[in-house]
Coordinates of all heavy atoms in Angstrom, one line a residue:
M1 N -7.4 -12.3 3.0 CA -6.4 -12.0 4.1 C -7.0 -10.9 5.0 O -7.4 -9.9 4.4 CB -5.1 -11.6 3.5 CG -3.9 -12.0 4.1 SD -2.4 -11.4 3.3 CE -2.2 -12.7 2.2
S2 N -7.1 -11.1 6.2 CA -7.6 -10.1 7.1 C -6.5 -9.5 7.9 O -5.5 -10.1 8.3 CB -8.7 -10.6 8.0 OG -8.2 -11.5 8.9
V3 N -6.6 -8.2 8.2 CA -5.6 -7.5 9.0 C -6.4 -6.9 10.2 O -7.4 -6.2 10.0 CB -5.0 -6.3 8.2 CG1 -4.0 -5.6 9.0 CG2 -4.3 -6.9 7.0
G4 N -6.0 -7.2 11.4 CA -6.7 -6.8 12.6 C -6.3 -5.4 13.1 O -5.3 -4.8 12.7
G5 N -7.2 -4.8 13.9 CA -7.0 -3.5 14.5 C -7.2 -2.3 13.6 O -7.0 -2.4 12.4
G6 N -7.7 -1.3 14.1 CA -7.9 0.0 13.4 C -8.9 -0.1 12.3 O -9.7 -1.1 12.2
P7 N -8.9 0.9 11.4 CA -9.9 0.9 10.3 C -9.6 -0.2 9.3 O -8.5 -0.8 9.3 CB -9.7 2.3 9.6 CG -8.5 2.8 10.2 CD -8.1 2.0 11.4
S8 N -10.6 -0.5 8.5 CA -10.5 -1.6 7.5 C -9.4 -1.3 6.5 O -9.2 -0.2 6.0 CB -11.8 -1.7 6.8 OG -11.8 -2.7 5.9
L9 N -8.6 -2.3 6.2 CA -7.6 -2.3 5.2 C -7.7 -3.5 4.2 O -7.7 -4.6 4.7 CB -6.2 -2.3 5.8 CG -5.0 -2.3 4.8 CD1 -4.9 -1.0 4.0 CD2 -3.7 -2.5 5.6
R10 N -7.8 -3.2 3.0 CA -7.9 -4.3 2.0 C -6.6 -4.7 1.5 O -5.8 -3.8 1.1 CB -8.8 -3.8 0.8 CG -9.0 -4.9 -0.2 CD -10.0 -4.5 -1.3 NE -9.5 -3.3 -1.9 CZ -10.1 -2.8 -3.0 NH1 -11.2 -3.3 -3.5 NH2 -9.6 -1.7 -3.5
V11 N -6.2 -6.0 1.6 CA -4.9 -6.5 1.2 C -5.2 -7.4 0.0 O -6.0 -8.3 0.1 CB -4.2 -7.3 2.3 CG1 -2.9 -7.8 1.7 CG2 -3.9 -6.4 3.5
C12 N -4.6 -7.0 -1.2 CA -4.9 -7.7 -2.4 C -3.6 -8.4 -2.8 O -2.5 -7.9 -2.8 CB -5.3 -6.8 -3.5 SG -6.7 -5.7 -3.0
V13 N -3.7 -9.7 -3.3 CA -2.6 -10.4 -3.7 C -2.7 -10.8 -5.2 O -3.7 -11.4 -5.6 CB -2.4 -11.8 -2.9 CG1 -1.2 -12.6 -3.4 CG2 -2.3 -11.5 -1.4
A14 N -1.8 -10.3 -6.0 CA -1.8 -10.6 -7.4 C -1.3 -12.0 -7.6 O -0.2 -12.4 -7.1 CB -1.0 -9.6 -8.2
I15 N -2.1 -12.8 -8.4 CA -1.7 -14.2 -8.6 C -1.5 -14.3 -10.1 O -2.5 -14.1 -10.9 CB -2.7 -15.1 -8.1 CG1 -2.8 -15.0 -6.6 CG2 -2.4 -16.6 -8.4 CD1 -4.0 -15.7 -5.9
Y16 N -0.3 -14.6 -10.6 CA -0.1 -14.8 -12.0 C 0.1 -16.3 -12.3 O -0.7 -17.1 -12.0 CB 1.1 -14.0 -12.4 CG 0.9 -12.5 -12.2 CD1 1.8 -11.7 -11.5 CD2 -0.2 -11.8 -12.7 CE1 1.6 -10.3 -11.3 CE2 -0.4 -10.5 -12.6 CZ 0.5 -9.7 -11.9 OH 0.3 -8.4 -11.7
D17 N 1.3 -16.6 -12.7 CA 1.6 -18.0 -13.1 C 1.8 -19.0 -12.0 O 1.5 -20.2 -12.1 CB 2.8 -18.1 -14.1 CG 2.5 -17.4 -15.4 OD1 1.3 -17.3 -15.8 OD2 3.4 -16.9 -16.0
Q18 N 2.3 -18.5 -10.8 CA 2.5 -19.4 -9.7 C 1.2 -19.7 -9.1 O 0.2 -19.0 -9.3 CB 3.5 -18.8 -8.7 CG 2.9 -17.9 -7.6 CD 2.6 -16.5 -8.1 OE1 2.4 -16.3 -9.3 NE2 2.5 -15.6 -7.2
G19 N 1.1 -20.7 -8.3 CA -0.2 -21.1 -7.7 C -0.7 -20.2 -6.7 O 0.1 -19.4 -6.1
R20 N -1.9 -20.3 -6.4 CA -2.6 -19.5 -5.4 C -1.9 -19.6 -4.0 O -1.7 -18.7 -3.3 CB -4.1 -19.9 -5.3 CG -4.9 -19.1 -4.3 CD -6.3 -19.6 -4.3 NE -7.2 -18.7 -3.5 CZ -7.4 -18.9 -2.2 NH1 -6.8 -19.9 -1.6 NH2 -8.2 -18.0 -1.6
T21 N -1.6 -20.9 -3.6 CA -1.0 -21.1 -2.3 C 0.3 -20.5 -2.2 O 0.6 -19.9 -1.2 CB -0.9 -22.7 -2.1 OG1 -2.3 -23.2 -2.2 CG2 -0.4 -23.0 -0.7
A22 N 1.1 -20.6 -3.2 CA 2.5 -20.0 -3.2 C 2.4 -18.5 -3.1 O 3.2 -17.8 -2.4 CB 3.3 -20.4 -4.4
A23 N 1.5 -17.9 -3.9 CA 1.3 -16.4 -3.9 C 0.9 -15.9 -2.5 O 1.4 -14.9 -2.0 CB 0.3 -16.0 -5.0
I24 N 0.0 -16.6 -1.9 CA -0.5 -16.2 -0.6 C 0.6 -16.3 0.5 O 0.8 -15.5 1.3 CB -1.8 -16.9 -0.2 CG1 -2.9 -16.4 -1.2 CG2 -2.2 -16.7 1.2 CD1 -4.3 -17.1 -1.0
A25 N 1.3 -17.5 0.4 CA 2.4 -17.7 1.3 C 3.5 -16.6 1.2 O 3.9 -16.1 2.2 CB 3.0 -19.1 1.1
A26 N 3.8 -16.2 0.0 CA 4.8 -15.2 -0.2 C 4.3 -13.8 0.3 O 5.0 -13.1 0.9 CB 5.2 -15.1 -1.7
A27 N 3.0 -13.6 0.1 CA 2.4 -12.3 0.5 C 2.4 -12.2 2.0 O 2.7 -11.2 2.6 CB 1.0 -12.2 0.0
E28 N 2.0 -13.3 2.7 CA 2.0 -13.4 4.1 C 3.4 -13.1 4.7 O 3.5 -12.6 5.8 CB 1.4 -14.7 4.6 CG -0.1 -14.7 4.4 CD -0.7 -16.1 4.9 OE1 0.0 -17.1 4.9 OE2 -1.9 -16.0 5.2
E29 N 4.4 -13.5 4.0 CA 5.8 -13.3 4.5 C 6.2 -11.9 4.6 O 6.9 -11.5 5.5 CB 6.7 -14.1 3.6 CG 8.1 -14.2 4.1 CD 9.0 -15.2 3.3 OE1 8.6 -16.3 3.1 OE2 10.1 -14.7 2.9
I30 N 5.7 -11.1 3.6 CA 6.1 -9.7 3.6 C 5.1 -8.7 4.2 O 5.3 -7.6 4.4 CB 6.5 -9.2 2.2 CG1 5.3 -9.1 1.2 CG2 7.7 -10.0 1.6 CD1 5.6 -8.4 0.0
L31 N 3.9 -9.3 4.5 CA 2.8 -8.4 5.1 C 3.2 -7.7 6.3 O 2.9 -6.5 6.5 CB 1.6 -9.3 5.3 CG 0.3 -8.5 5.8 CD1 0.0 -7.4 4.8 CD2 -0.8 -9.4 6.0
P32 N 3.9 -8.3 7.3 CA 4.3 -7.5 8.5 C 5.2 -6.3 8.2 O 4.9 -5.2 8.7 CB 5.1 -8.5 9.3 CG 4.6 -9.8 8.9 CD 4.3 -9.7 7.5
A33 N 6.1 -6.4 7.2 CA 6.9 -5.2 6.8 C 6.0 -4.2 6.1 O 6.2 -3.0 6.4 CB 8.0 -5.6 5.9
L34 N 5.0 -4.6 5.3 CA 4.1 -3.7 4.7 C 3.3 -2.9 5.7 O 3.1 -1.7 5.6 CB 3.2 -4.4 3.7 CG 3.9 -5.1 2.5 CD1 2.9 -5.9 1.7 CD2 4.6 -4.1 1.6
L35 N 2.8 -3.6 6.7 CA 2.0 -3.0 7.7 C 2.8 -2.0 8.5 O 2.4 -0.9 8.9 CB 1.3 -4.0 8.6 CG 0.3 -4.9 7.9 CD1 -0.1 -6.0 8.9 CD2 -0.8 -4.1 7.4
Q36 N 4.1 -2.3 8.8 CA 5.0 -1.5 9.6 C 5.2 -0.2 8.8 O 5.4 0.9 9.5 CB 6.3 -2.2 9.8 CG 7.2 -1.5 10.8 CD 8.4 -2.3 11.2 OE1 8.7 -3.3 10.5 NE2 9.1 -1.9 12.2
N37 N 5.2 -0.2 7.5 CA 5.5 1.0 6.7 C 4.3 2.0 6.6 O 4.4 3.1 6.1 CB 5.9 0.6 5.3 CG 7.3 0.2 5.2 OD1 8.2 0.5 6.0 ND2 7.6 -0.6 4.2
I38 N 3.1 1.6 7.1 CA 1.9 2.4 6.9 C 2.1 3.8 7.3 O 1.8 4.7 6.6 CB 0.7 1.7 7.5 CG1 0.3 0.5 6.6 CG2 -0.5 2.7 7.7 CD1 -0.9 -0.3 7.1
P39 N 2.6 4.1 8.6 CA 2.7 5.5 9.0 C 3.7 6.3 8.0 O 3.4 7.5 7.7 CB 3.3 5.4 10.4 CG 3.0 4.1 10.9 CD 3.0 3.2 9.6
V40 N 4.7 5.7 7.6 CA 5.7 6.4 6.7 C 5.0 6.7 5.3 O 5.1 7.8 4.8 CB 6.9 5.5 6.5 CG1 7.9 6.1 5.4 CG2 7.7 5.3 7.8
V41 N 4.3 5.7 4.8 CA 3.6 5.9 3.5 C 2.5 7.0 3.6 O 2.4 7.8 2.7 CB 3.0 4.5 3.0 CG1 2.1 4.7 1.8 CG2 4.0 3.5 2.7
E42 N 1.7 6.9 4.7 CA 0.7 8.0 4.9 C 1.4 9.4 4.9 O 0.8 10.3 4.4 CB -0.1 7.7 6.1 CG -1.1 6.5 5.9 CD -1.9 6.1 7.1 OE1 -1.5 6.4 8.2 OE2 -2.9 5.5 6.9
A43 N 2.5 9.5 5.6 CA 3.2 10.8 5.8 C 3.7 11.2 4.4 O 3.6 12.4 4.1 CB 4.3 10.6 6.8
M44 N 4.2 10.3 3.6 CA 4.7 10.6 2.2 C 3.6 11.2 1.4 O 3.8 12.2 0.7 CB 5.3 9.4 1.6 CG 6.6 8.9 2.1 SD 7.1 7.3 1.2 CE 8.3 7.9 0.2
A45 N 2.5 10.5 1.4 CA 1.4 10.9 0.6 C 0.8 12.3 1.0 O 0.5 13.1 0.2 CB 0.2 9.9 0.6
T46 N 0.8 12.5 2.3 CA 0.3 13.8 2.8 C 1.2 14.9 2.5 O 0.8 15.9 2.0 CB 0.1 13.7 4.4 OG1 -0.8 12.7 4.7 CG2 -0.3 15.0 5.0
A47 N 2.5 14.6 2.6 CA 3.5 15.6 2.2 C 3.5 16.0 0.7 O 3.7 17.1 0.4 CB 4.9 15.2 2.7
T48 N 3.3 15.0 -0.1 CA 3.3 15.2 -1.5 C 2.2 16.2 -1.9 O 2.4 17.0 -2.8 CB 3.0 13.9 -2.3 OG1 4.2 13.0 -2.0 CG2 3.0 14.0 -3.8
T49 N 1.0 16.1 -1.3 CA -0.1 17.0 -1.7 C 0.0 18.3 -0.9 O -0.7 19.3 -1.3 CB -1.5 16.4 -1.4 OG1 -1.6 16.2 0.0 CG2 -1.6 15.1 -2.1
G50 N 0.7 18.3 0.2 CA 0.7 19.5 1.1 C -0.6 19.7 1.8 O -0.9 20.8 2.3
S51 N -1.4 18.6 1.9 CA -2.7 18.7 2.5 C -2.6 18.8 4.0 O -1.6 18.4 4.7 CB -3.4 17.3 2.2 OG -4.7 17.3 2.9
T52 N -3.6 19.5 4.6 CA -3.6 19.6 6.0 C -4.4 18.4 6.6 O -4.4 18.2 7.8 CB -4.4 20.9 6.5 OG1 -5.7 21.0 5.9 CG2 -3.6 22.1 6.0
S53 N -5.0 17.7 5.8 CA -5.7 16.4 6.2 C -4.8 15.2 5.9 O -4.1 15.2 4.9 CB -7.0 16.2 5.4 OG -7.9 17.3 5.6
P54 N -4.8 14.3 6.8 CA -3.9 13.1 6.6 C -4.4 12.2 5.5 O -5.6 12.0 5.3 CB -3.9 12.4 8.0 CG -5.2 12.8 8.5 CD -5.5 14.2 8.0
A55 N -3.4 11.5 4.8 CA -3.7 10.5 3.9 C -4.1 9.2 4.6 O -3.6 9.0 5.8 CB -2.6 10.2 2.9
T56 N -4.9 8.4 4.1 CA -5.3 7.1 4.6 C -5.0 6.0 3.6 O -5.3 6.2 2.4 CB -6.8 7.1 5.0 OG1 -7.1 8.1 5.9 CG2 -7.2 5.7 5.5
I57 N -4.4 4.9 4.0 CA -4.2 3.8 3.1 C -5.5 3.1 2.9 O -6.1 2.6 3.9 CB -3.0 2.9 3.5 CG1 -1.7 3.8 3.5 CG2 -2.9 1.7 2.7 CD1 -0.5 3.0 3.8
L58 N -5.9 2.9 1.7 CA -7.2 2.2 1.4 C -6.9 0.8 1.1 O -7.7 -0.1 1.4 CB -7.9 2.9 0.2 CG -8.1 4.4 0.4 CD1 -8.7 5.0 -0.8 CD2 -9.1 4.6 1.6
D59 N -5.8 0.5 0.4 CA -5.5 -0.9 0.1 C -4.0 -1.1 -0.2 O -3.3 -0.1 -0.4 CB -6.4 -1.5 -1.1 CG -6.2 -0.8 -2.4 OD1 -5.1 -0.4 -2.7 OD2 -7.1 -0.8 -3.2
V60 N -3.6 -2.3 -0.1 CA -2.2 -2.7 -0.4 C -2.3 -3.8 -1.4 O -3.0 -4.8 -1.2 CB -1.5 -3.1 0.9 CG1 0.0 -3.6 0.5 CG2 -1.5 -2.1 1.9
W61 N -1.5 -3.7 -2.5 CA -1.4 -4.7 -3.5 C 0.0 -5.4 -3.3 O 1.0 -4.6 -3.3 CB -1.5 -4.1 -4.9 CG -2.9 -4.0 -5.3 CD1 -3.7 -2.9 -5.1 CD2 -3.8 -5.0 -6.0 NE1 -5.0 -3.1 -5.6 CE2 -5.0 -4.4 -6.2 CE3 -3.5 -6.3 -6.4 CZ2 -6.1 -5.1 -6.8 CZ3 -4.6 -6.9 -7.0 CH2 -5.8 -6.4 -7.2
I62 N 0.0 -6.7 -3.3 CA 1.3 -7.4 -3.2 C 1.4 -8.2 -4.4 O 0.5 -9.0 -4.8 CB 1.3 -8.4 -1.9 CG1 1.0 -7.5 -0.7 CG2 2.6 -9.1 -1.8 CD1 0.8 -8.4 0.6
Y63 N 2.6 -8.1 -5.1 CA 2.8 -8.7 -6.4 C 3.8 -9.9 -6.2 O 4.6 -9.9 -5.3 CB 3.4 -7.7 -7.4 CG 2.4 -6.6 -7.6 CD1 2.6 -5.4 -6.9 CD2 1.3 -6.7 -8.4 CE1 1.6 -4.3 -7.1 CE2 0.4 -5.7 -8.5 CZ 0.6 -4.5 -7.9 OH -0.4 -3.5 -8.0
P64 N 3.7 -10.9 -7.1 CA 4.6 -12.1 -7.0 C 6.1 -11.8 -6.9 O 6.8 -12.6 -6.4 CB 4.2 -12.9 -8.3 CG 2.9 -12.4 -8.7 CD 2.8 -11.0 -8.3
D65 N 6.5 -10.7 -7.5 CA 8.0 -10.4 -7.5 C 8.4 -9.8 -6.2 O 9.6 -9.4 -6.0 CB 8.4 -9.5 -8.7 CG 7.7 -8.2 -8.6 OD1 6.9 -7.9 -7.7 OD2 8.0 -7.4 -9.6
G66 N 7.5 -9.7 -5.2 CA 7.9 -9.1 -3.9 C 7.7 -7.6 -3.8 O 7.9 -7.0 -2.8
T67 N 7.3 -7.0 -4.9 CA 7.0 -5.5 -4.9 C 5.5 -5.4 -4.3 O 4.8 -6.3 -4.3 CB 7.1 -4.9 -6.2 OG1 6.2 -5.5 -7.1 CG2 8.5 -5.0 -6.8
A68 N 5.2 -4.1 -4.0 CA 3.9 -3.8 -3.5 C 3.5 -2.4 -3.8 O 4.4 -1.6 -4.2 CB 3.8 -4.0 -2.0
S69 N 2.3 -2.1 -3.8 CA 1.8 -0.7 -3.9 C 0.7 -0.4 -2.9 O -0.1 -1.3 -2.6 CB 1.4 -0.4 -5.3 OG 0.2 -1.1 -5.7
Y70 N 0.8 0.8 -2.4 CA -0.2 1.3 -1.4 C -1.1 2.3 -2.1 O -0.6 3.2 -2.7 CB 0.4 2.0 -0.2 CG 1.4 1.2 0.6 CD1 2.7 1.0 0.2 CD2 1.0 0.6 1.8 CE1 3.6 0.3 1.0 CE2 1.9 -0.1 2.6 CZ 3.2 -0.2 2.2 OH 4.1 -0.9 3.0
T71 N -2.4 2.1 -2.1 CA -3.3 3.2 -2.6 C -3.7 4.0 -1.4 O -4.3 3.6 -0.4 CB -4.6 2.5 -3.2 OG1 -4.2 1.6 -4.2 CG2 -5.5 3.6 -3.8
C72 N -3.4 5.3 -1.5 CA -3.7 6.3 -0.5 C -4.8 7.2 -0.9 O -4.8 7.6 -2.1 CB -2.4 7.1 -0.2 SG -1.0 6.2 0.3
G73 N -5.6 7.6 0.0 CA -6.7 8.5 -0.3 C -6.9 9.5 0.8 O -6.4 9.4 1.9
F74 N -7.6 10.6 0.4 CA -7.9 11.6 1.4 C -9.4 11.6 1.6 O -10.2 11.6 0.6 CB -7.4 13.0 0.9 CG -5.9 13.0 0.8 CD1 -5.2 12.6 -0.3 CD2 -5.2 13.5 1.9 CE1 -3.8 12.6 -0.3 CE2 -3.8 13.5 1.9 CZ -3.1 13.1 0.7
L75 N -9.8 11.5 2.8 CA -11.2 11.4 3.1 C -11.9 12.7 3.6 O -13.1 12.7 3.9 CB -11.4 10.3 4.2 CG -10.8 8.9 3.8 CD1 -10.9 7.9 5.0 CD2 -11.3 8.4 2.5
E76 N -11.1 13.7 3.7 CA -11.6 15.0 4.1 C -10.7 16.1 3.6 O -9.6 15.9 3.1 CB -11.8 15.1 5.6 CG -10.5 14.8 6.4 CD -10.7 14.7 7.9 OE1 -11.7 14.1 8.3 OE2 -9.9 15.3 8.6
G77 N -11.1 17.4 3.9 CA -10.3 18.5 3.6 C -10.1 18.8 2.1 O -10.9 18.3 1.3
E78 N -9.2 19.7 1.8 CA -9.0 20.2 0.4 C -8.6 19.1 -0.6 O -8.8 19.2 -1.8 CB -8.0 21.3 0.4 CG -6.6 20.9 0.7 CD -6.2 20.8 2.2 OE1 -7.1 21.0 3.0 OE2 -5.1 20.6 2.5
S79 N -8.1 17.9 -0.1 CA -7.7 16.8 -1.0 C -8.7 15.7 -1.0 O -8.5 14.6 -1.5 CB -6.3 16.3 -0.6 OG -5.4 17.3 -0.7
D80 N -9.9 16.0 -0.5 CA -11.0 15.0 -0.4 C -11.2 14.3 -1.7 O -11.4 14.9 -2.7 CB -12.3 15.6 0.1 CG -13.4 14.6 0.4 OD1 -13.1 13.4 0.7 OD2 -14.5 15.0 0.3
G81 N -11.2 13.0 -1.7 CA -11.4 12.2 -2.9 C -10.2 11.9 -3.8 O -10.3 11.1 -4.7
E82 N -9.1 12.6 -3.5 CA -7.9 12.4 -4.3 C -7.2 11.1 -3.9 O -7.2 10.7 -2.7 CB -6.9 13.5 -4.0 CG -5.7 13.5 -4.9 CD -4.8 14.8 -4.7 OE1 -5.3 15.8 -4.2 OE2 -3.6 14.7 -4.9
L83 N -6.7 10.3 -4.9 CA -6.0 9.1 -4.7 C -4.6 9.2 -5.3 O -4.4 9.9 -6.3 CB -6.8 7.9 -5.5 CG -8.2 7.6 -5.0 CD1 -8.8 6.5 -5.9 CD2 -8.2 7.2 -3.5
M84 N -3.7 8.4 -4.7 CA -2.3 8.3 -5.2 C -1.8 7.0 -4.8 O -2.3 6.3 -3.8 CB -1.5 9.5 -4.7 CG -1.3 9.6 -3.2 SD -0.3 11.0 -2.8 CE -1.1 12.3 -3.6
S85 N -0.7 6.6 -5.4 CA -0.1 5.3 -5.2 C 1.4 5.5 -4.7 O 2.1 6.3 -5.3 CB -0.1 4.5 -6.4 OG 0.5 3.2 -6.2
V86 N 1.8 4.8 -3.7 CA 3.1 4.7 -3.2 C 3.6 3.3 -3.5 O 3.0 2.3 -3.1 CB 3.3 5.0 -1.7 CG1 4.7 4.8 -1.3 CG2 2.8 6.5 -1.4
K87 N 4.7 3.2 -4.3 CA 5.2 1.9 -4.6 C 6.4 1.5 -3.7 O 7.1 2.3 -3.2 CB 5.7 1.9 -6.1 CG 4.6 2.2 -7.0 CD 4.9 1.9 -8.4 CE 3.8 2.3 -9.4 NZ 2.5 1.9 -9.1
R88 N 6.4 0.1 -3.4 CA 7.5 -0.4 -2.6 C 8.2 -1.5 -3.4 O 7.6 -2.4 -4.0 CB 6.9 -1.1 -1.4 CG 7.9 -1.7 -0.4 CD 7.2 -2.4 0.7 NE 8.1 -3.0 1.7 CZ 8.7 -4.2 1.6 NH1 8.5 -4.9 0.5 NH2 9.5 -4.6 2.5
S89 N 9.6 -1.3 -3.5 CA 10.4 -2.3 -4.2 C 10.5 -3.6 -3.4 O 10.2 -3.6 -2.2 CB 11.8 -1.7 -4.6 OG 12.5 -1.6 -3.4
A90 N 11.0 -4.6 -4.1 CA 11.2 -5.9 -3.4 C 12.2 -5.8 -2.3 O 12.1 -6.6 -1.3 CB 11.7 -7.0 -4.4
D91 N 13.1 -4.8 -2.3 CA 14.1 -4.7 -1.2 C 13.6 -3.7 -0.2 O 14.3 -3.3 0.8 CB 15.5 -4.2 -1.8 CG 15.5 -2.9 -2.4 OD1 14.4 -2.2 -2.5 OD2 16.5 -2.4 -2.8
G92 N 12.3 -3.2 -0.3 CA 11.7 -2.4 0.8 C 11.8 -0.9 0.6 O 11.3 -0.1 1.4
H93 N 12.4 -0.4 -0.6 CA 12.5 1.0 -0.8 C 11.1 1.5 -1.2 O 10.4 1.0 -2.1 CB 13.5 1.2 -2.0 CG 13.5 2.7 -2.4 ND1 14.2 3.6 -1.7 CD2 13.0 3.3 -3.5 CE1 14.0 4.8 -2.3 NE2 13.3 4.6 -3.4
L94 N 10.7 2.6 -0.6 CA 9.5 3.3 -0.9 C 9.7 4.4 -1.9 O 10.6 5.3 -1.7 CB 8.8 3.9 0.4 CG 8.4 2.8 1.4 CD1 8.0 3.5 2.7 CD2 7.3 1.9 0.9
E95 N 8.9 4.5 -2.9 CA 9.0 5.5 -4.0 C 7.9 6.5 -3.7 O 6.7 6.2 -3.8 CB 8.8 4.9 -5.3 CG 8.9 5.8 -6.5 CD 8.7 5.1 -7.8 OE1 9.2 4.0 -8.0 OE2 8.0 5.7 -8.6
P96 N 8.2 7.8 -3.4 CA 7.2 8.8 -3.2 C 6.2 8.9 -4.4 O 6.7 8.8 -5.5 CB 8.0 10.0 -2.9 CG 9.3 9.6 -2.6 CD 9.5 8.3 -3.3
P97 N 5.0 9.2 -4.1 CA 4.1 9.4 -5.2 C 4.4 10.7 -6.0 O 5.0 11.6 -5.4 CB 2.7 9.5 -4.6 CG 3.0 9.9 -3.2 CD 4.4 9.4 -2.8
Q98 N 4.1 10.7 -7.3 CA 4.3 11.9 -8.1 C 3.1 12.8 -7.9 O 1.9 12.4 -7.9 CB 4.4 11.5 -9.5 CG 5.5 10.6 -9.8 CD 6.9 11.2 -9.4 OE1 7.2 12.3 -9.7 NE2 7.7 10.4 -8.8
P99 N 3.3 14.1 -7.6 CA 2.2 15.1 -7.4 C 1.4 15.3 -8.6 O 1.8 15.0 -9.7 CB 2.9 16.4 -6.9 CG 4.4 16.2 -7.3 CD 4.6 14.8 -7.5

């Protein structure tokens, strides 16, 4: 799955018992909402660390149950190399990462 514009973003779709086609179709359905949440997720991750450098989303995992997780990382500053995950419930609620 490719996402246009801006820096590269890897979108991963977990495929379990349902078929590949069904999993990708379900993922494509929620992808616009996931992309729309990117600024909020990056702000949550940045606030959690108290970093002066912004967090960047490196990848998004989409699961068959409609949940997702964003892997956030810091590419510079005092948090350089640090990774954290922000989870999204099937109903769209974002769970802040644990410091």
Side-chain angles (χ1 to χ4, degrees):
M1 215 180 271
S2 65
V3 179
S8 177
L9 174 67
R10 182 173 59 174
V11 178
C12 307
V13 179
I15 300 173
Y16 299 126
D17 294 332
Q18 87 284 24
R20 180 179 189 273
T21 303
I24 291 174
E28 286 178 335
E29 191 173 306
I30 66 169
L31 185 59
L34 297 174
L35 296 176
Q36 188 173 15
N37 283 337
I38 286 176
V40 174
V41 171
E42 289 176 337
M44 286 174 108
T46 301
T48 297
T49 63
S51 178
T52 56
S53 300
T56 299
I57 296 186
L58 305 173
D59 62 32
V60 178
W61 277 89
I62 304 172
Y63 300 99
D65 63 359
T67 62
S69 66
Y70 299 83
T71 304
C72 304
F74 294 86
L75 306 177
E76 58 186 42
E78 67 278 4
S79 298
D80 185 26
E82 188 174 335
L83 297 176
M84 61 180 52
S85 180
V86 174
K87 300 195 181 312
R88 181 187 182 273
S89 67
D91 66 359
H93 174 75
L94 295 170
E95 180 184 317
Q98 300 302 313

